[in-house]
Amino acid sequence: GQNIDQPTEMTATEGAIVQINCTYQTSGFNGLFWYQQHAGEAPTFLSYNVLDGLEEKGRFSSFLSRSKGYSYLLLKELQMKDSASYLCAERNQAGTALIFGKGTTLSVSS
Amino acid sequence: DVKVTQSSRYLVKRTGEKVFLECVQDMDHENMFWYRQDPGLGLRLIYFSYDVKMKEKGDIPEGYSVSREKKERFSLILESASTNQTSMYLCASSVSGTGNQPQHFGDGTRLSIL
C-alpha cells in the first residue's frame, strides 16, 4: 500500500510562516497533491507536484523531493482564514485514484 | 467552474435500510469517486469509476456498491446500513489521465445510521 504521513496538528500566529510536511512511499510515484479543507466544507485543490522543486502560487508554495519521498506545503503571511485541514495526497501507482494522508489541522491565532 | 453536487447534506437512516447517495457533476468528467471521511482516519476511497458502467473497488468497499449508468451521475449504495457506516461521504470527479488534473469534490453528505 501507499503510506502518507503528515503531522496531525499545527498552530501558528497571524503573519507567520508555517511549513506542513508530508512523506510518502516512493515506489511507483505518480504525482502529489495538496488540498485545503475548512471545517464542514469540501476539500479544494491547492497544488500539484510531479517534478522536484518548488511550485509557488501566491502565499502558498509546495515543494517535492522524489528521492526522499518528501513534500511540504509552505504558507506565508498567515491569515485567520488559513485555519483549516491540509491534506497531502499521492496519486496511486495505477494513476487511477488519490491516496490521502490523514490531514494536518492548522490553527492560526491572532 | 466545476460543480459536483451531492443530493443531501444531512441524512438520517435506520440500521438495515438500503441507502442511496447521489452525486452529479457538470463537467463531463470521466472519473468519479466516493470517499468517506472519519476523524483520525482521513479520506478513504470506497469505489471509483473511470467510465460509464465501469467501477473499481477502493480501499474499503465492503458493505457498499456503486452504480454509474450515466457519465454525470455516480451513486453510492449501502445495501444494508449499519451504525459503523455513520460518516461524512464525499464524492469527487476528475478528467482522465495522469497529469495534474485535480479531483473536484462535492460538499459532502453527513450520514447518520441509527
Side-chain angles (χ1 to χ4, degrees):
Chain A
Q2 292 169 275
N3 293 320
I4 313 292
D5 288 318
Q6 51 183 132
T8 304
E9 293 181 339
M10 298 184 71
T11 59
T13 54
E14 269 188 306
I17 299 173
V18 71
Q19 178 175 311
I20 302 174
N21 297 325
C22 171
T23 58
Y24 62 91
Q25 289 190 341
T26 56
S27 62
F29 178 72
N30 212 353
L32 191 124
F33 294 79
W34 283 95
Y35 282 79
Q36 180 191 59
Q37 186 179 24
H38 285 101
E41 297 183 12
T44 55
F45 169 71
L46 288 178
S47 68
Y48 171 77
N49 295 74
V50 69
L51 300 176
D52 290 348
L54 190 68
E55 294 278 343
E56 296 189 72
K57 272 188 186 180
R59 294 189 300 114
F60 292 7
S61 304
S62 57
F63 172 82
L64 180 71
S65 169
R66 288 173 296 171
S67 62
K68 295 181 180 176
Y70 168 68
S71 174
Y72 67 71
L73 182 69
L74 192 71
L75 291 75
K76 302 177 187 175
E77 301 169 17
L78 279 173
Q79 302 174 10
M80 298 290 286
K81 67 178 183 179
D82 297 329
S83 292
S85 286
Y86 292 86
L87 312 178
C88 175
E90 182 185 5
R91 196 192 303 278
N92 67 356
Q93 294 179 22
T96 52
L98 296 183
I99 309 298
F100 282 84
K102 295 178 182 178
T104 299
T105 300
L106 174 66
S107 300
V108 180
S109 59
S110 55
Chain B
D1 277 353
V2 176
K3 185 69 175 174
V4 179
T5 303
Q6 295 184 228
S7 53
S8 305
R9 286 301 302 270
Y10 301 94
L11 205 55
V12 180
K13 296 291 182 181
R14 296 204 174 276
T15 303
E17 281 193 73
K18 190 169 186 176
V19 180
F20 293 85
L21 303 183
E22 306 288 348
C23 175
V24 176
Q25 50 93 4
D26 66 358
M27 286 301 292
D28 204 36
H29 284 172
E30 292 83 7
N31 301 332
M32 295 189 75
F33 308 85
W34 274 107
Y35 295 88
R36 62 178 285 177
Q37 187 173 33
D38 301 287
L41 296 177
L43 276 161
R44 292 180 292 165
L45 183 64
I46 304 170
Y47 266 97
F48 65 97
S49 168
Y50 51 87
D51 202 352
V52 175
K53 296 192 184 295
M54 305 301 289
K55 60 185 178 185
E56 293 282 343
K57 293 180 180 179
D59 297 320
I60 50 165
E62 295 79 17
Y64 303 94
S65 62
V66 290
S67 172
R68 186 124 182 245
E69 295 297 317
K70 294 185 178 181
K71 191 175 186 180
E72 67 270 19
R73 185 180 297 270
F74 193 35
S75 303
L76 180 70
I77 304 153
L78 286 66
E79 297 290 344
S80 177
S82 63
T83 54
N84 64 10
Q85 292 178 308
T86 292
S87 185
M88 170 68 87
Y89 289 87
L90 287 160
C91 175
S93 72
S94 72
V95 298
S96 63
T98 57
N100 64 348
Q101 298 87 0
Q103 291 184 10
H104 300 270
F105 285 85
D107 287 334
T109 297
R110 187 165 293 281
L111 175 65
S112 296
I113 307 296
L114 304 179

